[in-house]
Amino acid sequence: MELWPGAWTVLLLLLLLLLFLLPALWFYSPSAKYFFKMAFYNGWILFLAVLAIPVCAVRGRNVENMKILRLMLLHIKYLYGIRVEVRGAHHFPPSQPYVVVSNHQSSLDLLGMMEVLPGRCVPIAKRELLWAGSAGLACWLAGVIFIDRKRTGDAISVMSEVAQTLLTQDVRVWVFPEGTRNHNGSMLPFKRGAFHLAVQAQVPIVPIVMSSYQDFYCKKERRFTSGRCQVRVLPPVPTEGLTPDDVPALADRVRHSMLTIFREISTDGRGGGDCLKKPGGVVEARL
Ligand SMILES: CCCCCCCCCCCCCC(=O)SCCNC(=O)CCNC(=O)[C@H](O)C(C)(C)COP(=O)(O)OP(=O)(O)OC[C@H]1O[C@@H](n2cnc3c(N)ncnc32)[C@H](O)[C@@H]1OP(=O)(O)O
Ligand SMILES: CCCCCCCC/C=C\CCCCCCCC(=O)OC[C@@H](O)COP(=O)(O)O
């Protein structure tokens, strides 16, 4: 293919511009740095998923594949300088099915989740994640359970099937009972699916709390630095003998204990409040 003679000069100039512009943006614009870091986070996960897919595919769709995804993602915390400190891991029941419930601040939760993910444990995820390119396929191969949040009836019947699978195939599930990402420094009201699931299967609930990221990450402020996060595993909550009527009180009790721990371990100096800085530099606290 013949290129117009000036084209090389233009290409060279563009390349030089990129070489200077990108580092300049990185160093002088915290917002640009935030975008690069988030773009790399997603891009890197998509790339790792491409590597994981053939390895998982030869084993077929299997919860054991979650181990492969976990191993592949464990190093990401080092790339971002995030120290993940795990406490209470001894609370995981050693060999029985259970339902893990944890707070959901951002897609960075994947880091804390992979740090403590027990064997044969699969997350319940929104159906849209299935279409996230290679990551969606890798999740499917690892047995991630997808629910359609727009169809309550369907989501509930999937959860009821899961209650059976928990017992027959000895698996554990990880649910984010807030049902969506929430970075407002507190926890949204809990949806009850996870608790119905645990009561139906009569298995314990293991609550896990990840401390606030607001020290090092704030989407609204476009701030993403290195930092520290504590992942606390709480003692299992038994559900034997409980009936569907007990679910609302059970969900409230678990949420209350998680919120107490969340406030205790979140050392962001903002009281766990909203990280959004008002124009005057005042931090708005919304508990
Ligand atoms: C290398 C590559 C790696 C890639 C990454 C790998 C890792 C990937 C990690 C991915 C992480 C991804 C993370 C993510 O994607 S997080 C987003 C998806 N997860 C969730 O949404 C989970 C939490 N949601 C729920 O539990 C909801 O309740 C569901 C979804 C079930 C329905 O929600 P919906 O909003 O539609 O309705 P509602 O909550 O108002 O409920 C309506 C009524 O039904 C009752 N009800 C509920 N359930 C049951 C039940 N089972 N049996 C009997 N009844 C049940 C309920 O009590 C209520 O009644 P009442 O109480 O008002 O009378
Ligand atoms: C060819 C198509 C390419 C599509 C590219 C899509 C880019 C996605 C890239 C990487 C995927 C990273 C997987 C991270 C998983 C994080 C799970 C997560 O945090 O899901 C959000 C969900 O809990 C709640 O969602 P909402 O807050 O309700 O919203």
Side-chain angles (χ1 to χ4, degrees):
M1 190 181 73
E2 267 300 301
L3 266 187
W4 159 65
W8 290 113
T9 325
V10 174
L11 274 177
L12 195 72
L13 279 174
L14 272 176
L15 195 70
L16 279 174
L17 192 72
L18 275 182
L19 275 178
F20 285 102
L21 200 67
L22 292 184
L25 275 173
W26 173 273
F27 285 111
Y28 294 110
S29 162
S31 298
K33 199 166 171 172
Y34 168 87
F35 281 117
F36 288 145
K37 282 182 138 182
M38 285 317 282
F40 180 78
Y41 181 74
N42 289 322
W44 190 239
I45 290 175
L46 287 175
F47 170 71
L48 292 171
V50 170
L51 301 184
I53 287 169
V55 187
C56 295
V58 292
R59 296 151 53 112
R61 188 171 191 224
N62 189 337
V63 295
E64 292 291 341
N65 283 336
M66 206 63 217
K67 244 185 225 155
I68 296 173
L69 302 195
R70 175 171 182 259
L71 287 176
M72 296 195 86
L73 296 171
L74 273 174
H75 68 281
I76 299 182
K77 60 178 184 290
Y78 300 114
L79 299 181
Y80 285 87
I82 296 170
R83 240 184 59 217
V84 187
E85 194 182 301
V86 177
R87 298 252 179 100
H90 59 279
H91 285 309
F92 281 118
S95 56
Q96 71 171 98
Y98 46 86
V99 176
V100 172
V101 293
S102 88
N103 55 325
H104 195 12
Q105 301 181 64
S106 113
S107 55
L108 294 183
D109 292 347
L110 217 50
L111 305 184
M113 179 189 213
M114 292 304 155
E115 208 60 27
V116 292
L117 193 77
R120 298 187 66 75
C121 181
V122 283
I124 288 189
K126 57 175 183 178
R127 222 170 88 90
E128 293 83 341
L129 195 64
L130 196 50
W131 314 122
S134 53
L137 181 55
C139 285
W140 183 82
L141 285 167
V144 171
I145 300 155
F146 295 98
I147 52 166
D148 187 345
R149 295 182 296 184
K150 289 185 220 84
R151 297 176 181 218
T152 306
D154 287 2
I156 290 177
S157 60
V158 169
M159 303 280 264
S160 299
E161 276 172 41
V162 172
Q164 290 301 314
T165 318
L166 276 190
L167 301 170
T168 55
Q169 293 180 27
D170 180 32
V171 291
R172 296 102 195 231
V173 288
W174 184 304
V175 187
F176 292 102
E178 291 171 278
T180 188
R181 285 165 290 188
N182 160 49
H183 195 54
N184 77 0
S186 181
M187 280 180 211
L188 298 175
F190 279 3
K191 295 192 169 271
R192 292 172 181 164
F195 304 92
H196 277 292
L197 174 57
V199 166
Q200 274 167 27
Q202 297 279 290
V203 298
I205 292 167
V206 180
I208 294 186
V209 183
M210 299 188 210
S211 65
S212 168
Y213 301 157
Q214 296 185 3
D215 255 356
F216 60 90
Y217 173 83
C218 179
K219 190 174 176 177
K220 291 179 200 151
E221 285 174 18
R222 314 249 179 274
R223 172 167 55 76
F224 189 3
T225 60
S226 55
R228 214 184 112 253
C229 168
Q230 189 185 128
V231 181
R232 177 84 70 92
V233 184
L234 306 189
V237 180
T239 64
E240 281 126 66
L242 298 188
T243 67
D245 290 342
D246 300 312
V247 163
L250 174 70
D252 286 349
R253 189 153 54 92
V254 172
R255 181 175 180 275
H256 183 261
S257 63
M258 288 172 66
L259 197 52
T260 307
I261 298 293
F262 179 76
R263 290 187 174 140
E264 190 185 306
I265 64 177
S266 295
T267 53
D268 53 20
R270 295 158 197 254
D274 196 317
C275 64
L276 184 64
K277 274 192 187 128
K278 285 193 167 159
V282 182
V283 176
E284 181 192 9
R286 182 149 46 89
L287 285 176

